[in-house]
Amino acid sequence: MSSRARRQRILRDEDDEDDEYTQPSTSGTQRESKRIRQEDSSYNELDSQLTAEQTSQDLERKVNDTVRYALACEHRKQVIRKDDIARKVLTDRSRSFPAIFDKTQAKLRHLFGMELTELVSKEKSNPAKRAAANGKVVLSKTYVLRNILPEEQNDPQIIHHTDDEYQSTGLLYVILSLIFVNEQSMNDELLMSHLNRLRIPEESETFGDRARMLDGFVKQGYLQRQKLNAEVAQSDQPVFQYSWGPRAKAEVPEQNMVGLISSVYHVQGSELDRLQDSIYKAASIDT
């Protein structure tokens, strides 16, 4: 072999030796890739766990915030609007309203013996619009907190209220009962006549300004007030008609109202049955 050929062979052998150190083997490359994939998978799983935990904690905070908001609105006798919950409480989690609402209901029932009840929309004052509605119930996306405690737990010695609250609630129930037995509606002239007979003047020490008190019941949703048109009212002066508001319909079962009216007369047995039948008849309700 010539000297030139020997030099070329030596150079090729040196290049091959260098390649052994600079190029990893195929099996080594596969093991390294597998290790990297396993580490990435572990990191992704940990990230998923942390994200799920953070999401769960955030959801629970929103549920607690919604419970507090509902209780605050109930303390002020304000209706609870779905839009207000989404805007003031849920903010960036408004799309989670169904899940948060269900968890809120469960917590309210378990801890406070109350539940959120959606109110129906106000009835149309126009007879043609009422006929077009065809008796369909239209929900309003507004709620109130309704007491769902068993009757034996609705005891004044358990649930305390102030004297002002008892007086206001007592008068409200009297007004609701008067409306109930008057075919569930009453014009303002007749209502004021009844209040005068009950010695509740336009201004009293106990209830304050009578008109403002009625405005409060309307605002709270216990009463609904509608202005009658001239043909229906048959008067040149404005005439308003009062009926049960959506909150009263949600909070006060009609049977409870019948029981309240019956208890005033202190009757029992068959006489009580006749009285209750007459109350239902006066309210134009089929039993």
Side-chain angles (χ1 to χ4, degrees), residues 63 96-109 116:
V63 170
S96 301
F97 179 85
I100 293 173
F101 182 85
D102 291 342
K103 288 181 177 293
T104 298
Q105 284 282 56
K107 182 161 289 191
L108 285 168
R109 289 166 179 157
L116 287 165

Side-chain angles (χ1 to χ4, degrees), residues 52-102:
E53 184 178 352
Q54 290 171 349
T55 300
S56 177
Q57 291 175 350
D58 183 54
L59 184 67
E60 188 64 23
R61 280 196 297 270
K62 293 299 184 183
V63 170
N64 293 336
D65 289 344
T66 306
V67 169
R68 283 192 289 268
Y69 179 74
L71 293 172
C73 289
E74 174 61 22
H75 179 70
R76 297 190 295 268
K77 289 298 181 182
Q78 294 178 349
V79 296
I80 305 161
R81 304 183 186 281
K82 179 179 178 180
D83 290 344
D84 288 342
I85 294 176
R87 179 171 55 86
K88 297 179 180 179
V89 182
L90 305 186
T91 57
D92 58 330
R93 296 298 299 273
S94 59
R95 292 186 178 181
S96 301
F97 179 85
I100 293 173
F101 182 85
D102 291 342

Side-chain angles (χ1 to χ4, degrees), residues 141-205:
K141 296 183 180 181
T142 58
Y143 305 86
V144 294
L145 277 179
R146 186 170 65 92
N147 185 353
I148 59 171
L149 287 174
E151 190 64 32
E152 60 270 16
Q153 295 180 8
N154 280 317
D155 191 305
Q157 295 182 359
I158 299 175
I159 303 175
H160 298 282
H161 297 283
T162 65
D163 291 343
D164 289 342
E165 289 174 329
Y166 279 122
Q167 292 166 354
S168 177
T169 302
L171 178 58
L172 171 63
Y173 269 68
V174 169
I175 294 174
L176 291 176
S177 64
L178 290 171
I179 294 173
F180 182 77
V181 298
N182 196 67
E183 298 186 6
Q184 303 186 61
S185 66
M186 179 179 291
N187 65 45
D188 53 355
E189 182 179 356
L190 182 57
L191 177 58
M192 300 311 158
S193 174
H194 281 297
L195 293 178
N196 289 334
R197 291 177 60 189
L198 291 170
R199 298 183 180 181
I200 302 175
E202 294 184 1
E203 184 71 35
S204 67
E205 183 178 349

Side-chain angles (χ1 to χ4, degrees), residues 108-124:
L108 285 168
R109 289 166 179 157
H110 178 68
L111 294 179
F112 300 98
M114 308 180 82
E115 68 178 6
L116 287 165
T117 302
E118 188 167 4
L119 303 178
V120 298
S121 296
K122 290 183 179 180
E123 295 180 356
K124 304 295 184 181

